[in-house]
Amino acid sequence: MATAAVVMAVVTLVSSLALVPAPALVPSGGNEALLRLADEVAKLPDDRGAYWRRPLLNNGLIRVKAGDKAFNVLSSSRIDLWQPRDVRDPVHVEQWEQFVRPATPADERVWRAAGAPATVQRVCTPGTRAGDCKKIRMRSKPSDCLSTHAAEPGGVLGDRRLGELTLADISALPGDAALLRERLRAYWKASKSARAWKSFEEFLPMARVLLELPVSPSVRAAALRLLAGLPTTKVRGSVTDPMGRQGLAVTFVKSEGFTGQFGADDEVAERYVTILHPRTGTLLAANVSIAAESAEGLAQGTVMHYQAWAPEAGWTDERPERPRGCRRSDRPIP
C-alpha cells in the first residue's frame, strides 16, 4: 500500500473533530457469512441508469508540528466519478480537497496555542524522503476543485485492475462462480499488468474488484462465492465502519503492514480490513488501516486512514454538472 499517497486523505462525512474509532469486530462464523450474503445479493433487482456514480472519499490522519508541539490533523479529499452507460457521452470527474484540520479538540488546543498557523510541518520518521515531508496547508472548507469532462476511448473504464473493460464487458460477465473464475482466467492471460502475479491463483483475490464495479447483483453474488472459497479470504465479523455504517469486515489478502506516519524513530504496525455493505455486497470502505500498536500521538486501535464510498454511489439518471468555481482539468481520468 502506498501509505504516503493514501494518508493525504480523510473523512469527508465526519463533521466532528473526534478521532474515528476502530471498527468493533464480532465473531464471524467463518467465510459462510460471505456465502449467506451472496444468496441475499442474488435476489436483488438489477438497477440501471444513465450514469454509474462513484464518489470516493480518501480519509486519514497526519502527524504534524506547529512551533515545538506535535499534534494530529485530519485530512480529506474526494473524487466523484460519473461513468456514462452511453459510450458517446463523456466521463465526468470532480476532485476536491475537502479539509485539513485538527483531529480532536485536544489537537485544536495545541494548534491554537501555537497561533493557529495556516501551514504546519509534517512530522516524518528518520529516512523519509524530503519530498514527502513538505508543509501542509490547513483548510476548513472544500477547495481546489478540478473537473475533467472527456470521452474515454472505446468506453474503457478507468479502473484497469482486471484489464481494459467496458460497461458492455461488465454486463456480459457470468453470474456463476465457476464460469466467472474462467472469465477471470482469460483476463489474467490477456492483461500484462494482471500477469504481474506469478500464478492465476495469486491473481484470483483481485475478484474483489468486481465488488467495486457496476456489475449486476448476480455477478456480485458470484464474485462473493468465488472469494469465499479462496484460502486468502478471511471474514472478520460484523462492524461499524469509520463513517458509522453497519458492515461486514473481510480481508482478501495479507492484512498487516507498517506505516511511517507515526512513531518517533520507527514505523508503526497496522492492520487492514475491507468493509462490505451487509445487504448489497458492495464496498463501504477499503484500505481501512487500524493501528496495531500505540505510538506518540496514536493509540492502539485508532483508524489511521481509509477510503470510503459515499451513500450516493450507484446508478443514477442525473447528469453531472461542473460545480461553480471548479476549474477544468486536463488530468487523465482517474
Side-chain angles (χ1 to χ4, degrees):
M1 180 184 300
T3 302
V6 175
V7 167
M8 285 306 299
V10 188
V11 202
T12 217
L13 296 185
V14 175
S15 58
S16 72
L17 294 178
L19 288 179
V20 181
L25 299 181
V26 300
S28 65
N31 289 2
E32 291 82 6
L34 279 184
L35 297 176
R36 292 193 298 270
L37 176 57
D39 290 341
E40 296 303 314
V41 170
K43 302 173 186 177
L44 297 174
D46 189 5
D47 292 334
R48 296 292 178 181
Y51 282 86
W52 176 64
R53 187 178 181 187
R54 188 209 65 183
L56 182 63
L57 315 172
N58 294 307
N59 312 308
L61 295 176
I62 307 173
R63 188 72 171 163
V64 299
K65 181 178 288 188
D68 60 350
K69 300 293 185 180
F71 62 101
N72 297 332
V73 294
L74 196 59
S75 173
S76 179
S77 65
R78 173 174 174 139
I79 299 178
D80 205 336
L81 179 146
W82 301 67
Q83 183 80 38
R85 180 174 296 281
D86 189 337
V87 297
R88 296 170 296 182
D89 288 337
V91 177
H92 180 83
V93 181
E94 295 168 20
Q95 302 177 69
W96 289 87
E97 295 299 326
Q98 294 291 109
F99 57 77
V100 179
R101 63 194 186 197
T104 68
D107 292 315
E108 184 174 13
R109 287 192 293 271
V110 174
W111 175 62
R112 292 195 180 281
T119 60
V120 292
Q121 177 65 55
R122 185 178 154 197
V123 175
C124 295
T125 54
T128 304
R129 294 186 312 168
D132 292 332
C133 290
K134 296 179 179 179
K135 290 187 176 181
I136 297 171
R137 181 165 61 91
M138 304 290 283
R139 57 170 67 90
S140 60
K141 297 179 180 179
S143 62
D144 298 335
C145 178
L146 296 176
S147 175
T148 305
H149 203 69
E152 192 75 7
V156 174
L157 298 175
D159 191 328
R160 288 171 165 80
R161 284 175 289 176
L162 294 178
E164 295 190 351
L165 304 181
T166 66
L167 284 179
D169 295 327
I170 292 294
S171 297
L173 289 171
D176 174 85
L179 294 177
L180 181 61
R181 181 187 179 100
E182 292 311 304
R183 185 67 60 85
L184 290 171
R185 187 189 299 276
Y187 292 156
W188 174 71
K189 289 181 178 179
S191 172
K192 184 177 181 180
S193 60
R195 291 200 308 275
W197 279 265
K198 294 180 180 179
S199 68
F200 175 58
E201 285 67 29
E202 290 176 316
F203 169 74
L204 263 179
M206 288 297 289
R208 67 187 184 274
V209 173
L210 295 173
L211 306 180
E212 305 175 37
L213 297 178
V215 300
S216 67
S218 63
V219 173
R220 195 179 312 123
L224 289 167
R225 293 185 179 110
L226 176 59
L227 289 163
L230 299 181
T232 52
T233 298
K234 305 295 180 186
V235 175
R236 304 298 181 180
S238 299
V239 303
T240 300
D241 87 342
M243 291 169 57
R245 303 172 295 189
Q246 294 300 304
L248 183 67
V250 186
T251 56
F252 297 114
V253 290
K254 180 179 179 293
S255 57
E256 295 86 25
F258 297 90
T259 176
Q261 289 296 308
F262 291 86
D265 55 7
D266 200 0
E267 294 181 324
V268 174
E270 57 184 341
R271 57 185 175 89
Y272 320 112
V273 295
T274 295
I275 303 178
L276 305 180
H277 194 290
R279 289 178 296 279
T280 67
T282 56
L283 262 67
L284 291 178
N287 300 323
V288 180
S289 168
I290 303 166
E293 58 183 329
S294 296
E296 181 182 348
L298 183 72
Q300 182 178 355
T302 300
V303 171
M304 292 184 289
H305 53 80
Y306 63 91
Q307 296 172 307
W309 279 252
E312 57 268 33
W315 287 104
T316 179
D317 286 322
E318 295 181 16
R319 301 188 70 86
E321 295 183 2
R322 182 162 59 98
R324 179 177 298 177
C326 196
R327 295 180 290 120
R328 290 194 180 276
S329 171
D330 295 327
R331 291 183 182 179
I333 300 294

